[in-house]
Amino acid sequence: MEFELTASMMCADFGHLEKEIRDLEAAGIDSFHIDIMDGRYVPNFAMSLNDLRYIRSATDKPLDVHLMIEHPNTHIDLFLRSLRHGDTVYIHPEAEYHPSTTLQSIINAGLTPGIAINPGTSVETVMEMLRIVDRVLVMSVNPGNAGQMYLPYVGQKVEHLIRLKEEMGFKLYWDGACSADKILEFAPKGVDGFVLGTTVLFGKDRPYADILQDVHALNI
């Protein structure tokens, strides 16, 4: 089974951010996940546009930018101008009056369009958008904070989306409470990638290379 691993940079040590990036690159991380939170769509503030720009300047790896903000179309050009071809931008459909317009802006900029689906959002309400995005990010926790508990009912939604992947033409990614057992269970079923935060990757007092080696060992 093949799967991608992306580092949730809101969990990184910002006092040594350049070292964190270098260590993760050396460990074999596939991409860097950037959570932008405005304190309105979610009850928390997280990474800023300047954080995104710094990480973009410090690595050649792809960025996955997860916009947890109200009305992203209002500010989307600021983010798009800070990214490169190959980077992904996820929006939450509920945060926008006309999400397809925002997704088209992402496509026109030559970036990878994606939607993030909250635990309480049904697949049926985003079905039309599944045909125009390249990536779907399934939230297994409510967005806004790291270190939350996995919501078991999300597993059925993931399996529903796995069945739609080929027809709709998107890749499927898992975000939130991503443990080794979830990777072992859902990667063989068809989940293409996993966002790693405090559950597996950060704050473990172990080298990132050792942790990622253990995770990749699940691929045997």
Side-chain angles (χ1 to χ4, degrees), residues 43-81:
N44 193 15
F45 292 93
M47 301 175 74
S48 70
L49 183 60
N50 284 341
D51 294 327
L52 182 158
R53 287 170 172 164
Y54 176 77
I55 295 171
R56 177 68 286 168
S57 71
T59 183
D60 291 328
K61 295 278 188 178
L63 299 192
D64 297 329
V65 180
H66 181 186
L67 297 181
M68 286 173 269
I69 62 176
E70 287 189 351
H71 307 304
N73 195 51
T74 304
H75 307 291
I76 193 66
D77 287 343
L78 288 173
F79 294 99
L80 299 182
R81 288 198 300 268

Short mmCIF file of all heavy atoms in Angstrom, two decimals, residues 43-81:
data_model
loop_
_atom_site.label_atom_id
_atom_site.label_comp_id
_atom_site.label_asym_id
_atom_site.label_seq_id
_atom_site.Cartn_x
_atom_site.Cartn_y
_atom_site.Cartn_z
N PRO A 43 -12.91 28.27 16.51
CA PRO A 43 -12.68 29.06 17.73
C PRO A 43 -11.21 29.08 18.15
O PRO A 43 -10.88 28.82 19.30
CB PRO A 43 -13.55 28.35 18.77
CG PRO A 43 -13.53 26.92 18.35
CD PRO A 43 -13.52 26.96 16.83
N ASN A 44 -10.34 29.38 17.20
CA ASN A 44 -8.92 29.41 17.51
C ASN A 44 -8.21 30.23 16.44
O ASN A 44 -8.70 30.37 15.32
CB ASN A 44 -8.35 27.98 17.53
CG ASN A 44 -6.96 27.91 18.15
OD1 ASN A 44 -6.51 28.84 18.81
ND2 ASN A 44 -6.28 26.80 17.94
N PHE A 45 -7.08 30.79 16.81
CA PHE A 45 -6.19 31.43 15.84
C PHE A 45 -4.98 30.52 15.66
O PHE A 45 -4.44 30.01 16.63
CB PHE A 45 -5.72 32.80 16.34
CG PHE A 45 -6.82 33.83 16.40
CD1 PHE A 45 -7.54 34.02 17.56
CD2 PHE A 45 -7.13 34.59 15.28
CE1 PHE A 45 -8.55 34.96 17.62
CE2 PHE A 45 -8.13 35.54 15.33
CZ PHE A 45 -8.85 35.72 16.51
N ALA A 46 -4.56 30.35 14.42
CA ALA A 46 -3.37 29.54 14.18
C ALA A 46 -2.49 30.24 13.17
O ALA A 46 -2.45 31.46 13.13
CB ALA A 46 -3.75 28.13 13.75
N MET A 47 -1.87 29.52 12.31
CA MET A 47 -0.76 30.03 11.52
C MET A 47 -1.19 31.21 10.64
O MET A 47 -2.33 31.31 10.20
CB MET A 47 -0.20 28.90 10.68
CG MET A 47 0.29 27.74 11.54
SD MET A 47 0.84 26.34 10.57
CE MET A 47 2.39 26.96 9.95
N SER A 48 -0.22 32.08 10.38
CA SER A 48 -0.49 33.30 9.64
C SER A 48 0.02 33.19 8.21
O SER A 48 0.74 32.24 7.85
CB SER A 48 0.20 34.49 10.31
OG SER A 48 1.61 34.39 10.16
N LEU A 49 -0.32 34.18 7.42
CA LEU A 49 0.19 34.26 6.06
C LEU A 49 1.71 34.37 6.06
O LEU A 49 2.39 33.78 5.20
CB LEU A 49 -0.43 35.46 5.34
CG LEU A 49 -0.07 35.67 3.88
CD1 LEU A 49 -0.48 34.47 3.03
CD2 LEU A 49 -0.74 36.94 3.36
N ASN A 50 2.28 35.07 7.04
CA ASN A 50 3.74 35.18 7.13
C ASN A 50 4.38 33.83 7.46
O ASN A 50 5.47 33.52 6.97
CB ASN A 50 4.13 36.23 8.17
CG ASN A 50 3.94 37.64 7.65
OD1 ASN A 50 3.86 37.86 6.44
ND2 ASN A 50 3.85 38.60 8.55
N ASP A 51 3.73 33.04 8.31
CA ASP A 51 4.23 31.69 8.59
C ASP A 51 4.27 30.87 7.30
O ASP A 51 5.25 30.17 7.01
CB ASP A 51 3.35 30.98 9.62
CG ASP A 51 3.38 31.64 10.98
OD1 ASP A 51 4.43 32.18 11.36
OD2 ASP A 51 2.34 31.60 11.67
N LEU A 52 3.18 30.94 6.55
CA LEU A 52 3.11 30.22 5.29
C LEU A 52 4.25 30.64 4.37
O LEU A 52 4.93 29.80 3.77
CB LEU A 52 1.76 30.48 4.63
CG LEU A 52 1.41 29.80 3.31
CD1 LEU A 52 -0.10 29.76 3.11
CD2 LEU A 52 2.03 30.50 2.11
N ARG A 53 4.45 31.95 4.23
CA ARG A 53 5.49 32.46 3.33
C ARG A 53 6.88 32.01 3.76
O ARG A 53 7.73 31.69 2.92
CB ARG A 53 5.41 33.98 3.26
CG ARG A 53 4.20 34.48 2.46
CD ARG A 53 4.02 35.97 2.61
NE ARG A 53 2.98 36.47 1.71
CZ ARG A 53 2.40 37.66 1.85
NH1 ARG A 53 2.76 38.46 2.84
NH2 ARG A 53 1.46 38.04 1.00
N TYR A 54 7.11 31.98 5.08
CA TYR A 54 8.42 31.56 5.55
C TYR A 54 8.65 30.09 5.22
O TYR A 54 9.72 29.72 4.70
CB TYR A 54 8.56 31.77 7.05
CG TYR A 54 9.88 31.24 7.56
CD1 TYR A 54 11.06 31.95 7.36
CD2 TYR A 54 9.95 29.98 8.17
CE1 TYR A 54 12.28 31.44 7.78
CE2 TYR A 54 11.17 29.46 8.57
CZ TYR A 54 12.32 30.19 8.38
OH TYR A 54 13.53 29.68 8.77
N ILE A 55 7.68 29.24 5.52
CA ILE A 55 7.84 27.81 5.24
C ILE A 55 7.98 27.58 3.74
O ILE A 55 8.80 26.77 3.30
CB ILE A 55 6.67 27.02 5.85
CG1 ILE A 55 6.71 27.12 7.38
CG2 ILE A 55 6.73 25.55 5.42
CD1 ILE A 55 5.50 26.55 8.07
N ARG A 56 7.21 28.32 2.95
CA ARG A 56 7.32 28.19 1.49
C ARG A 56 8.73 28.54 1.02
O ARG A 56 9.27 27.90 0.10
CB ARG A 56 6.29 29.10 0.82
CG ARG A 56 6.32 29.14 -0.70
CD ARG A 56 5.89 27.86 -1.37
NE ARG A 56 6.91 26.81 -1.27
CZ ARG A 56 6.72 25.54 -1.56
NH1 ARG A 56 5.55 25.13 -1.98
NH2 ARG A 56 7.69 24.67 -1.43
N SER A 57 9.35 29.55 1.64
CA SER A 57 10.70 29.97 1.23
C SER A 57 11.78 29.01 1.71
O SER A 57 12.88 28.99 1.17
CB SER A 57 11.00 31.37 1.77
OG SER A 57 11.19 31.35 3.18
N ALA A 58 11.44 28.20 2.73
CA ALA A 58 12.46 27.36 3.37
C ALA A 58 12.48 25.93 2.85
O ALA A 58 13.36 25.16 3.23
CB ALA A 58 12.23 27.35 4.88
N THR A 59 11.54 25.57 1.98
CA THR A 59 11.49 24.19 1.50
C THR A 59 11.04 24.14 0.06
O THR A 59 10.30 25.01 -0.41
CB THR A 59 10.54 23.34 2.36
OG1 THR A 59 10.57 21.98 1.90
CG2 THR A 59 9.11 23.86 2.30
N ASP A 60 11.49 23.10 -0.64
CA ASP A 60 11.00 22.82 -1.98
C ASP A 60 9.89 21.78 -1.97
O ASP A 60 9.33 21.46 -3.02
CB ASP A 60 12.14 22.34 -2.87
CG ASP A 60 13.15 23.44 -3.16
OD1 ASP A 60 12.74 24.62 -3.24
OD2 ASP A 60 14.35 23.13 -3.29
N LYS A 61 9.60 21.23 -0.80
CA LYS A 61 8.51 20.27 -0.68
C LYS A 61 7.16 20.96 -0.91
O LYS A 61 7.02 22.16 -0.65
CB LYS A 61 8.51 19.63 0.71
CG LYS A 61 9.73 18.79 1.02
CD LYS A 61 9.63 17.40 0.44
CE LYS A 61 10.77 16.51 0.91
NZ LYS A 61 10.65 15.14 0.39
N PRO A 62 6.15 20.24 -1.35
CA PRO A 62 4.82 20.84 -1.52
C PRO A 62 4.23 21.30 -0.19
O PRO A 62 4.53 20.73 0.86
CB PRO A 62 4.00 19.71 -2.13
CG PRO A 62 4.98 18.74 -2.67
CD PRO A 62 6.19 18.83 -1.80
N LEU A 63 3.37 22.31 -0.27
CA LEU A 63 2.60 22.75 0.88
C LEU A 63 1.13 22.38 0.68
O LEU A 63 0.61 22.47 -0.43
CB LEU A 63 2.70 24.27 1.07
CG LEU A 63 4.06 24.90 1.32
CD1 LEU A 63 3.89 26.35 1.77
CD2 LEU A 63 4.88 24.12 2.34
N ASP A 64 0.50 21.98 1.77
CA ASP A 64 -0.95 21.75 1.80
C ASP A 64 -1.53 22.82 2.71
O ASP A 64 -1.35 22.76 3.94
CB ASP A 64 -1.29 20.37 2.36
CG ASP A 64 -0.75 19.24 1.50
OD1 ASP A 64 -0.65 19.43 0.28
OD2 ASP A 64 -0.43 18.17 2.06
N VAL A 65 -2.21 23.79 2.14
CA VAL A 65 -2.72 24.93 2.91
C VAL A 65 -4.20 24.71 3.20
O VAL A 65 -5.02 24.62 2.27
CB VAL A 65 -2.51 26.25 2.15
CG1 VAL A 65 -3.04 27.42 2.95
CG2 VAL A 65 -1.02 26.44 1.85
N HIS A 66 -4.52 24.62 4.48
CA HIS A 66 -5.87 24.33 4.93
C HIS A 66 -6.47 25.62 5.49
O HIS A 66 -6.11 26.06 6.58
CB HIS A 66 -5.81 23.24 6.00
CG HIS A 66 -7.13 22.81 6.54
ND1 HIS A 66 -7.25 21.93 7.59
CD2 HIS A 66 -8.41 23.14 6.19
CE1 HIS A 66 -8.52 21.75 7.87
NE2 HIS A 66 -9.24 22.47 7.04
N LEU A 67 -7.37 26.23 4.72
CA LEU A 67 -7.95 27.52 5.10
C LEU A 67 -9.20 27.29 5.95
O LEU A 67 -10.27 26.96 5.44
CB LEU A 67 -8.30 28.33 3.86
CG LEU A 67 -7.12 28.75 2.96
CD1 LEU A 67 -7.63 29.57 1.78
CD2 LEU A 67 -6.07 29.52 3.75
N MET A 68 -9.05 27.48 7.25
CA MET A 68 -10.18 27.44 8.18
C MET A 68 -10.58 28.87 8.49
O MET A 68 -10.41 29.37 9.61
CB MET A 68 -9.80 26.66 9.43
CG MET A 68 -9.72 25.16 9.21
SD MET A 68 -9.09 24.25 10.64
CE MET A 68 -7.34 24.24 10.25
N ILE A 69 -11.09 29.54 7.46
CA ILE A 69 -11.43 30.96 7.58
C ILE A 69 -12.79 31.20 6.92
O ILE A 69 -13.20 30.48 6.01
CB ILE A 69 -10.37 31.86 6.92
CG1 ILE A 69 -10.26 31.59 5.41
CG2 ILE A 69 -9.00 31.65 7.58
CD1 ILE A 69 -9.30 32.50 4.68
N GLU A 70 -13.48 32.24 7.40
CA GLU A 70 -14.74 32.64 6.79
C GLU A 70 -14.49 33.33 5.46
O GLU A 70 -13.54 34.09 5.31
CB GLU A 70 -15.52 33.57 7.72
CG GLU A 70 -16.13 32.89 8.92
CD GLU A 70 -17.06 33.81 9.69
OE1 GLU A 70 -17.08 35.03 9.38
OE2 GLU A 70 -17.75 33.32 10.59
N HIS A 71 -15.35 33.06 4.49
CA HIS A 71 -15.32 33.71 3.18
C HIS A 71 -13.91 33.74 2.58
O HIS A 71 -13.35 34.81 2.35
CB HIS A 71 -15.90 35.12 3.28
CG HIS A 71 -17.25 35.17 3.91
ND1 HIS A 71 -18.32 34.44 3.44
CD2 HIS A 71 -17.70 35.84 5.01
CE1 HIS A 71 -19.38 34.67 4.19
NE2 HIS A 71 -19.03 35.50 5.16
N PRO A 72 -13.32 32.60 2.35
CA PRO A 72 -11.94 32.58 1.84
C PRO A 72 -11.77 33.30 0.52
O PRO A 72 -10.67 33.79 0.22
CB PRO A 72 -11.64 31.08 1.70
CG PRO A 72 -12.97 30.41 1.67
CD PRO A 72 -13.86 31.24 2.53
N ASN A 73 -12.83 33.43 -0.28
CA ASN A 73 -12.68 34.10 -1.57
C ASN A 73 -12.25 35.55 -1.41
O ASN A 73 -11.61 36.12 -2.30
CB ASN A 73 -13.99 34.02 -2.37
CG ASN A 73 -13.79 34.36 -3.82
OD1 ASN A 73 -12.91 33.81 -4.48
ND2 ASN A 73 -14.58 35.28 -4.34
N THR A 74 -12.58 36.16 -0.26
CA THR A 74 -12.21 37.54 -0.02
C THR A 74 -10.69 37.72 0.00
O THR A 74 -10.17 38.77 -0.41
CB THR A 74 -12.80 38.03 1.32
OG1 THR A 74 -14.22 37.83 1.29
CG2 THR A 74 -12.50 39.50 1.56
N HIS A 75 -9.98 36.70 0.49
CA HIS A 75 -8.53 36.82 0.68
C HIS A 75 -7.73 35.81 -0.13
O HIS A 75 -6.51 35.73 0.02
CB HIS A 75 -8.19 36.63 2.16
CG HIS A 75 -8.95 37.53 3.08
ND1 HIS A 75 -8.76 38.89 3.12
CD2 HIS A 75 -9.93 37.25 3.99
CE1 HIS A 75 -9.57 39.43 4.02
NE2 HIS A 75 -10.30 38.47 4.54
N ILE A 76 -8.40 35.07 -1.01
CA ILE A 76 -7.73 33.93 -1.63
C ILE A 76 -6.51 34.34 -2.44
O ILE A 76 -5.50 33.63 -2.48
CB ILE A 76 -8.73 33.13 -2.52
CG1 ILE A 76 -8.14 31.77 -2.91
CG2 ILE A 76 -9.15 33.93 -3.74
CD1 ILE A 76 -7.95 30.83 -1.76
N ASP A 77 -6.54 35.52 -3.07
CA ASP A 77 -5.40 35.93 -3.89
C ASP A 77 -4.13 36.11 -3.07
O ASP A 77 -3.02 35.86 -3.56
CB ASP A 77 -5.72 37.23 -4.64
CG ASP A 77 -6.69 37.01 -5.79
OD1 ASP A 77 -6.86 35.85 -6.21
OD2 ASP A 77 -7.29 38.00 -6.25
N LEU A 78 -4.25 36.54 -1.81
CA LEU A 78 -3.08 36.68 -0.94
C LEU A 78 -2.38 35.34 -0.77
O LEU A 78 -1.15 35.26 -0.79
CB LEU A 78 -3.49 37.23 0.42
CG LEU A 78 -3.90 38.70 0.50
CD1 LEU A 78 -4.44 39.00 1.91
CD2 LEU A 78 -2.72 39.60 0.17
N PHE A 79 -3.16 34.31 -0.60
CA PHE A 79 -2.58 32.98 -0.42
C PHE A 79 -2.04 32.43 -1.73
O PHE A 79 -0.94 31.86 -1.76
CB PHE A 79 -3.62 32.04 0.18
CG PHE A 79 -4.04 32.42 1.57
CD1 PHE A 79 -5.21 33.12 1.80
CD2 PHE A 79 -3.25 32.10 2.67
CE1 PHE A 79 -5.60 33.49 3.07
CE2 PHE A 79 -3.62 32.46 3.95
CZ PHE A 79 -4.80 33.16 4.15
N LEU A 80 -2.79 32.60 -2.79
CA LEU A 80 -2.37 32.04 -4.07
C LEU A 80 -1.06 32.65 -4.55
O LEU A 80 -0.22 31.94 -5.11
CB LEU A 80 -3.47 32.24 -5.11
CG LEU A 80 -4.82 31.58 -4.80
CD1 LEU A 80 -5.80 31.82 -5.94
CD2 LEU A 80 -4.67 30.10 -4.52
N ARG A 81 -0.86 33.94 -4.30
CA ARG A 81 0.38 34.59 -4.73
C ARG A 81 1.59 34.13 -3.92
O ARG A 81 2.73 34.34 -4.33
CB ARG A 81 0.25 36.11 -4.61
CG ARG A 81 -0.67 36.74 -5.65
CD ARG A 81 -0.42 38.23 -5.75
NE ARG A 81 -0.67 38.93 -4.51
CZ ARG A 81 -1.83 39.49 -4.16
NH1 ARG A 81 -2.87 39.42 -5.00
NH2 ARG A 81 -1.97 40.12 -3.03
#
